[in-house]
Amino acid sequence: MENQSAQSKPASASVPTAVVNGATLFAGLLDTAEQVRIVEDIRRVVAAAPLFSPLTPWGKPMSVRMTSAGKYGWYTDRKGYRYSDVHPEGSDWPPIPANVLDIWRRLVGSERMPDCCLVNFYAEGARMGLHQDRDEADFRWPVLSVSLGDDARFRIGGTTRGGPTESVLLRSGDVLLLTGESRLAYHGIDRIMPGTSTLLPKGGRINLTLRVVD
Ligand code: MD6
Ligand code: FE
């Protein structure tokens, strides 16, 4: 890695709007046209790699449905959290859409591109418990997250479970970057707010997380 700078941003990086517990928020980074294009791209990903409800290691189906694009997809079942190079039905994951890779290039640079784009779909009532993103090999690379559709109440704490947390509203078009200190912060989604966006005709929320895995 050039000058140990996995987290340094390219000169052209956008200006963040806020830092919440060390995580960098680019509120409204994607305009409506860009959001619409990405939703179309994600529909193609889902057509090739259908959404599924993974089982947590303790045997409960997650309320969030998910799939992935890229070299690896994130997966969980009774054997635990891991990356898999195939969809549970056995096919390869589709490639990460170019419009999505562009966001990474703008905020992180092009020295190393992500090899997983996890697609999370939240219908009304879905939530995601506090967790760390720690199944990757090198935490010097950030995790970039894109919110599309209904607003969500995102919660973020520190690197130990049970410490103080802050909450931030993630809205359609917002991009959040977990870098540095915040890379291993506990975080989750308390709830989504139905009816707050018209981007997805049937409502709900899509979250994309881009990661360097290996
Ligand atoms: C979500 N996000 O926004 C869940 N992970 O639906 C995440 O789990 C997440 O937003 C790593 C980095 C940023 C995130
Ligand atoms: Fe996460």
Side-chain angles (χ1 to χ4, degrees):
M1 230 175 292
E2 230 168 68
N3 49 318
Q4 314 151 311
S5 64
Q7 285 144 16
S8 72
K9 299 192 182 69
S12 60
S14 313
V15 180
T17 52
V19 175
V20 188
N21 258 14
T24 312
L25 177 65
F26 298 84
L29 185 77
L30 310 178
D31 66 21
T32 306
E34 205 168 356
Q35 294 173 42
V36 167
R37 277 198 295 275
I38 292 173
V39 169
E40 285 166 3
D41 292 337
I42 297 306
R43 288 194 195 288
R44 282 188 285 272
V45 166
V46 170
L51 291 166
F52 53 92
S53 301
L55 279 187
T56 60
W58 38 98
K60 201 173 156 250
M62 294 182 72
S63 59
V64 177
R65 293 194 296 149
M66 49 183 72
T67 189
S68 291
K71 180 176 173 192
Y72 300 106
W74 188 83
Y75 190 67
T76 169
D77 60 14
R78 284 174 187 278
K79 291 183 213 148
Y81 298 158
R82 60 193 180 275
Y83 284 97
S84 166
D85 48 19
V86 288
H87 185 274
E89 287 164 18
S91 50
D92 286 347
W93 304 103
I96 302 176
N99 292 317
V100 175
L101 291 174
D102 272 350
I103 306 169
W104 178 279
R105 246 181 238 108
R106 273 161 80 185
L107 300 185
V108 181
S110 48
E111 191 186 331
R112 174 71 148 90
M113 297 307 284
D115 35 33
C116 175
C117 172
L118 175 64
V119 178
N120 289 139
F121 178 76
Y122 296 73
E124 186 171 351
R127 55 183 296 279
M128 188 174 293
L130 281 181
H131 66 277
Q132 290 173 297
D133 283 27
R134 51 176 298 168
D135 303 316
E136 301 77 33
D138 185 349
F139 301 136
R140 288 174 300 178
W141 295 105
V143 181
L144 186 160
S145 131
V146 180
S147 292
L148 297 163
D150 286 333
D151 296 355
R153 177 63 58 195
F154 180 82
R155 185 162 295 284
I156 181 163
T159 54
T160 52
R161 196 182 272 285
T165 60
E166 279 188 62
S167 128
V168 59
L169 193 65
L170 293 181
R171 314 197 69 181
S172 199
D174 290 357
V175 176
L176 186 73
L177 205 54
L178 294 196
T179 53
E181 272 281 276
S182 68
R183 174 63 180 77
L184 289 171
Y186 276 90
H187 60 275
I189 294 288
D190 291 346
R191 64 188 188 93
I192 71 161
M193 281 88 147
T196 48
S197 164
T198 54
L199 183 70
L200 306 174
K202 294 182 202 153
R205 172 174 183 264
I206 295 170
N207 168 257
L208 310 176
T209 48
L210 296 176
R211 306 175 185 140
V212 171
V213 174
D214 62 17

